[in-house]
Amino acid sequence: MATGKINVSVDNIFPLIKKFLYSDHEIFLRELISNATDATLKMKHLTTIGEAKVEYGNPIIEVKIDKEGKKLHVIDQGLGMTEEEVKKYINEVAFSGAEEFLNKYEDSAKDSGIIGHFGLGFYSAFMVAHKVEIITKSYKDEPAVQWSCDGSPEFIMEPAEKETRGTEIILHIADDSTEFLENGKIESLLSKYNKFMPIPIKFGMRTETLPKPEGAKKEDPAPTQEVDNIVNNPNPAWTKLPADLKPEDYKSFYRELYPMQFEEPLFHIHLNVDYPFNLTGILYFPKLSNDLNQQKDKIQLYQNQVFVTDNVEGIVPEFLTMLRGVIDSPDIPLNVSRSYLQADGAVKKISSYITRKVADKMNSLFKNDRAEFEAKWNDIKIVIEYGMLSEDKFFDKADKFALYPTVDGSYFTFDELIEKIKETQTDKDGKTVILYASDKEAQHSYIETAKAKGYEVLLLDSPIIGHLMQKLESSKENISFARVDADHIDKLIQKEETQISKLSDEEKETLKKELEEAITDKSFTVQLEAMDSDSSPFTITEPEFMRRMKEMQQTGGGGMFGMGSMPDMYNLIVNTNHPLVSEFLNTKTAKKKERLINQSLDLAKLSKGLLKGKALTEFIKRSYEMVK
């Protein structure tokens, strides 16, 4: 038996590990299983290249709870350690030895899947254990060795009774960590961190039903047998080549990732690159709503099939964090700050690659099956529009496949749209005006007025459309967007010809004064316009610029304008050529004039969806009286 002190640079590393090394104590199980996986993969590699003259077999990693003895066991059938190796890798606190192994077999071990990035993995056991034992036997046919430590720098090392190669770690669970002796807790940790580890992980046994023997009666129970309960899938879909997977395989893997998600994904993107960095993964587009606050953190980050985090900000471009799926890369640094991640060169390249792959997939879907792409547009547009706003490279690619739907259900790319409307919707100054509605029902009368002129009206209703329109207006030549209720249609697209007012300047002055006195709501600005006599007498519009600034402010862009909380502002467009407007002037009875003005204003408000509550009740009552 040998005793000694662990060679560490502080008097006692264990309180440091327990308090500071990891913020989450449950990580210990991930670390121990990662080390066991490394040991097994190293064994596989050495047998493959003929370095070890032993059989690799079908090794597993086993996790066992001894609740009575307050112990947790992690057992592998990997390459094990000699006494010298225990001294080197455990007593010297020399990490897991993975990096040294990779350096030694640099060329051949490059693709072996060895993790080698988890730092002081073994010592994380002391976060939950007051004593840790190692019983290990090397494949090199040297005596087995047992090592134990009670959380101080002192250790004991002695010969052990172990016939088979591999390592068993025994954690004597501390009194403040007994939750890790519960089956449910360990099951949940294995599912969270080790669900896709490349070596099968056994946790207990399960009962398997066998086929009934020939000649068995119907009422006879089916025979059963106890089998190893393997809790992980060592060969998940993202580790396979796209050519080896069918559409159903991708859907099946989605259900495996999100068992409580009952809607199928719209489509997937398989990531697979080995230069200038290593990255594999599968991203899924779920059915998305217009809600920008919908749950993110659904993409899982792995490192060589070991779960790291589901917060991928800084690695995946922000506009894609609404997607789901898996990214696996050994080149993403772990346990570092987000600001470091964002400055890391490899991470920047990975982020650019993912952006490009998503754009290429969208473009391919658009070109190969436009009808299907159009059918899915409303479910994916929020991501595409967000990407066009936030990533210039994505904007350049998406400009070819981003769609602009009309109120009648047609879909155009931007270039197709301009080609369709430039002849009819170009104003006297040579600017092509793109008309749009944000609510087909609420803006119905305005839409119909525009369509009567032969104009095309888009339906743009996502919460960030104001920001995107501003970007399009600044990046495209001679175009502007105008919502159909922003002004009278003849003012939105002004042609050369102008209407002549039937009212004199004096009559217009009198009319404006009377209307301003009658309309007490100061959010309305009265504007007199000469229009066709069959156009509405009163039309309520919202100035495009002010309304758009207010909407952008509500989705996070308003602070930059320094306007504070902007009030609602409306224009009341009065058609001076409508017979009813002339009647306002000619009516001598003040009460009748007031009633006519209020009724006309309320009708305009009703058309705009602004008539509510008490005002609506009074309008209905007044309307019945007028009918009588």
Side-chain angles (χ1 to χ4, degrees), residues 37-57 59 77-79 98 100-114 139 165 199:
T37 301
D38 267 354
T40 311
L41 291 172
K42 286 176 192 173
M43 190 72 252
K44 182 179 184 179
H45 184 67
L46 293 180
T47 55
T48 302
I49 63 172
E51 184 83 10
K53 308 297 182 190
V54 294
E55 288 289 320
Y56 175 66
Q77 296 160 23
L79 75 179
E100 182 187 324
F101 184 90
L102 289 172
N103 290 336
K104 184 174 178 182
Y105 300 102
E106 189 173 355
D107 293 331
S108 62
K110 179 168 64 176
D111 300 318
S112 61
I114 291 160
Y139 74 96
R165 75 161 191 256
I199 306 298

Side-chain angles (χ1 to χ4, degrees), residues 300-471:
Q300 300 172 11
L301 176 65
Y302 287 76
Q303 191 179 85
N304 292 326
Q305 294 177 237
V306 183
F307 176 79
V308 177
T309 180
D310 53 13
N311 183 346
V312 293
E313 248 180 272
I315 300 163
V316 172
E318 191 182 355
F319 78 98
L320 294 176
T321 55
M322 288 182 271
L323 303 191
R324 294 180 182 169
V326 165
I327 291 170
D328 190 331
S329 175
D331 294 327
I332 296 171
L334 303 179
N335 299 331
V336 292
S337 70
R338 191 167 299 155
S339 58
Y340 178 89
L341 265 183
Q342 287 164 344
D344 185 79
V347 171
K348 281 182 178 174
K349 286 177 187 166
I350 287 169
S351 181
S352 296
Y353 166 77
I354 292 169
T355 301
R356 191 176 74 250
K357 282 292 285 185
V358 170
D360 290 347
K361 176 74 173 188
M362 299 287 103
N363 198 35
S364 167
L365 288 166
F366 171 72
K367 284 181 174 175
N368 297 336
D369 192 344
R370 178 158 177 170
E372 188 188 359
F373 190 76
E374 288 181 0
K376 290 175 177 175
W377 177 252
N378 278 334
D379 296 321
I380 63 170
K381 66 185 177 189
I382 193 77
V383 172
I384 308 301
E385 290 170 356
Y386 193 2
M388 290 174 76
L389 264 176
S390 56
E391 302 269 339
D392 286 339
K393 284 182 181 173
F394 186 79
F395 179 93
D396 294 340
K397 284 178 173 282
D399 201 30
K400 305 295 181 212
F401 60 75
L403 294 177
Y404 299 87
T406 71
V407 290
D408 296 322
S410 300
Y411 290 84
F412 298 102
T413 64
F414 191 84
D415 288 347
E416 291 167 349
L417 177 68
I418 297 302
E419 189 61 34
K420 176 94 167 39
I421 68 170
K422 66 181 177 185
E423 206 170 297
T424 52
Q425 291 177 220
T426 299
D427 67 14
K428 61 184 177 63
D429 300 318
K431 184 168 277 193
T432 302
V433 180
I434 302 167
L435 298 174
Y436 72 99
S438 58
D439 187 323
K440 208 157 66 164
E441 296 302 314
Q443 293 147 14
H444 183 267
S445 65
Y446 299 87
I447 293 167
E448 291 304 306
T449 303
K451 284 166 70 175
K453 292 269 187 184
Y455 297 155
E456 201 72 66
V457 181
L458 300 182
L459 180 61
L460 304 178
D461 57 1
S462 83
I464 56 173
I465 199 66
H467 299 275
L468 183 58
M469 287 188 297
Q470 191 173 15
K471 179 153 186 161

Side-chain angles (χ1 to χ4, degrees), residues 269 302 372 386 400 472 569 584 606:
I269 298 158
Y302 287 76
E372 188 188 359
Y386 193 2
K400 305 295 181 212
L472 287 163
M569 295 179 71
F584 295 158
L606 193 64

Side-chain angles (χ1 to χ4, degrees), residues 553-588:
Q553 183 186 54
Q554 289 165 353
T555 54
M560 67 183 83
F561 301 105
M563 293 183 179
S565 182
M566 294 167 63
D568 291 320
M569 295 179 71
Y570 303 100
N571 289 333
L572 177 64
I573 311 291
V574 181
N575 181 5
T576 59
N577 289 341
H578 196 281
L580 185 62
V581 174
S582 298
E583 197 175 328
F584 295 158
L585 282 171
N586 299 330
T587 301
K588 304 300 179 191

Side-chain angles (χ1 to χ4, degrees), residues 190-208:
L190 291 171
S191 175
K192 180 176 178 180
Y193 294 109
N194 308 105
K195 194 174 183 176
F196 301 112
M197 293 291 278
I199 306 298
I201 300 167
K202 173 186 173 183
F203 184 57
M205 305 291 286
R206 62 182 176 83
T207 304
E208 189 177 78

Side-chain angles (χ1 to χ4, degrees), residues 454-550:
Y455 297 155
E456 201 72 66
V457 181
L458 300 182
L459 180 61
L460 304 178
D461 57 1
S462 83
I464 56 173
I465 199 66
H467 299 275
L468 183 58
M469 287 188 297
Q470 191 173 15
K471 179 153 186 161
L472 287 163
E473 285 168 340
S474 63
S475 61
K476 308 281 187 183
E477 286 186 8
N478 284 331
I479 66 113
S480 68
F481 284 83
R483 205 167 81 178
V484 283
D485 58 350
D487 208 332
H488 188 272
I489 193 66
D490 293 337
K491 298 284 283 183
L492 289 176
I493 306 176
Q494 273 193 302
K495 304 291 185 178
E496 291 293 349
E497 63 272 10
T498 55
Q499 290 277 346
I500 297 167
S501 176
K502 292 178 181 177
L503 301 183
S504 67
D505 288 347
E506 192 181 339
E507 285 174 320
K508 284 194 281 190
E509 201 174 311
T510 304
L511 175 65
K512 189 170 185 185
K513 188 180 176 187
E514 286 182 349
L515 288 170
E516 285 174 345
E517 285 173 358
I519 297 166
T520 54
D521 189 340
K522 296 308 170 194
S523 62
F524 287 89
T525 302
V526 176
Q527 283 182 215
L528 304 185
E529 299 284 351
M531 295 181 282
D532 292 337
S533 58
D534 58 356
S535 293
S536 298
F538 281 9
T539 306
I540 295 171
T541 65
E542 287 182 80
E544 178 74 17
F545 176 77
M546 297 302 289
R547 194 211 70 250
R548 205 190 292 183
M549 290 306 103
K550 183 176 175 68

